[in-house]
């Protein structure tokens, strides 16, 4: 149980890093990929909860925490839970695929925004690097 607490903290920290990275990308490039981190308007019922900024932050944080915990335990039977590359690969590929959710939303970025997709995918690679690196050190 202690390990799950560490993994949850790792997911939370990595989620904060992802927010920071995506915000810097938005400031530097103008890309709207950052907006997608907190977008939940395509989820029935949840999309009515208020305040939207807090629900978006909670949604993002819980997703980051759950993904770190789940992926750790999926990699464990293969002895890969303390390797960084699997986290980078899974989160990059998964993030790249999740970008398609923009097609369900009126908010930016647009589904056809290739630059936003690249930034989004690279941001998730950083998330994976942080998760894998922290797991290697703490878990």
């Amino acid at each position: 149980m202690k390990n799950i607490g560490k993994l949850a903290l790792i997911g939370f920290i990595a989620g904060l890093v992802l927010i920071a990275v995506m915000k810097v990308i938005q400031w530097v490039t103008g890309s709207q990929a950052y907006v997608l981190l907190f977008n939940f308007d395509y989820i029935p019922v949840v999309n009515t909860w208020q305040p939207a900024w807090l629900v978006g932050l909670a949604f993002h944080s819980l997703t980051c925490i759950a993904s770190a915990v789940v992926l750790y335990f999926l990699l464990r039977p293969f002895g890969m839970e303390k390797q960084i590359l699997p986290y980078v690969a899974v989160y990059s590929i998964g993030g790249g695929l999740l970008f398609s959710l923009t097609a369900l939303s009126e908010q930016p970025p647009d589904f056809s925004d290739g630059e936003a997709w690249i930034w989004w995918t690279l941001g998730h690679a950083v998330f994976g690097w942080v998760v894998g690196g922290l797991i290697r050190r703490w878990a």
Side-chain angles (χ1 to χ4, degrees), residues 33-108:
Y34 171 82
V35 174
L36 187 54
L37 288 177
F38 310 105
N39 188 357
F40 57 94
D41 66 356
Y42 51 86
I43 303 173
V45 179
V46 177
N47 62 7
T48 64
W49 295 354
Q50 295 294 326
W53 70 268
L54 184 59
V55 176
L57 181 60
F59 180 73
H60 167 77
S61 297
L62 291 173
T63 302
C64 291
I65 290 166
S67 69
V69 172
V70 169
L71 186 53
Y72 174 87
F73 286 107
L74 287 174
L75 293 172
R76 201 160 131 185
F78 303 100
M80 298 173 66
E81 73 276 13
K82 295 208 176 193
Q83 296 177 22
I84 297 173
L85 186 57
Y87 294 96
V88 172
V90 168
Y91 293 128
S92 297
I93 294 167
L97 293 172
L98 283 175
F99 186 84
S100 64
L101 293 174
T102 62
L104 303 175
S105 176
E106 295 296 318
Q107 294 186 45

